[in-house]
Amino acid sequence: MIVKQIWTGNAYRNFNYLVACPETGEALAIDPLDYEKCLHHAGSEGWKITQVLNTHHHGDHIGGNGKVIDATGAKLLAHAGAGNAIPGIDIGLNAGDVVKVGSSVDLEVLDTPGHTMSHVCLLSKTDNPSLFCGDTLFNAGVAGA
């Protein structure tokens, strides 16, 4: 699993993430508010964004969905209960679902109500476990992450 953290530079201190499969070059864009940076970084790495995932429905997380999807044809994934708040969801997610990226990345969906009632986190159970929870990546193997 390859993870690219993208700083949006906005007042909300958001990060966007690209999670890529090193074998296929397929990528998942998480909360792609800064769609230009997401598309640029994916292109410069030779990755194809095939999925967009929103951790929750706030505008600073879903604001770039349309532009990324228009440019790539990606499918939109979000909490199954977010249909009224996130337009155009292709795949509704529930606790225990697995989001596959390419042939080598599996991310377990956690239902994490609190910040919003339709909030998901993604857990990677690799040698270097990571939790994608919205604005921040928690990585067990990286100091300061």
Side-chain angles (χ1 to χ4, degrees), residues 32 35 52 62-72 76:
Y35 63 89
V52 169
I62 69 171
N65 287 357
K67 296 286 188 177
V68 173
I69 292 167
D70 288 348
T72 64
L76 178 59

Side-chain angles (χ1 to χ4, degrees), residues 75-93:
K75 298 287 186 192
L76 178 59
L77 293 71
H79 190 285
N84 291 332
I86 301 174
I89 296 173
D90 294 302
I91 300 170
L93 301 172

Side-chain angles (χ1 to χ4, degrees), residues 78-81 91-99 107-111 120-121:
H79 190 285
I91 300 170
L93 301 172
N94 293 291
D97 288 347
V98 175
V99 175
L107 302 168
E108 181 183 352
V109 176
L110 308 176
D111 187 1
V120 296
C121 293

Side-chain angles (χ1 to χ4, degrees), residues 5 12-15 17 31 56 60-61 133-137:
Q5 183 182 48
Y12 298 108
R13 301 181 49 85
N14 292 82
F15 289 97
Y17 295 92
D31 295 333
H56 62 287
D60 59 327
H61 292 261
C133 60
D135 296 326
T136 306
L137 162 69

Side-chain angles (χ1 to χ4, degrees), residues 7 13 16 18 23-24 27-28 30 39 46 57 66 71 73 86 97 110 115 132 135:
W7 166 243
R13 301 181 49 85
N16 303 155
L18 295 174
E23 296 171 9
T24 66
L28 167 71
I30 301 174
L39 293 169
H57 68 266
I86 301 174
D97 288 347
L110 308 176
H115 183 60
F132 298 90
D135 296 326

Side-chain angles (χ1 to χ4, degrees), residues 116-129:
T116 69
M117 293 311 291
S118 55
H119 193 123
V120 296
C121 293
L122 300 172
L123 178 62
S124 158
K125 296 180 181 180
T126 62
D127 291 341
N128 190 11

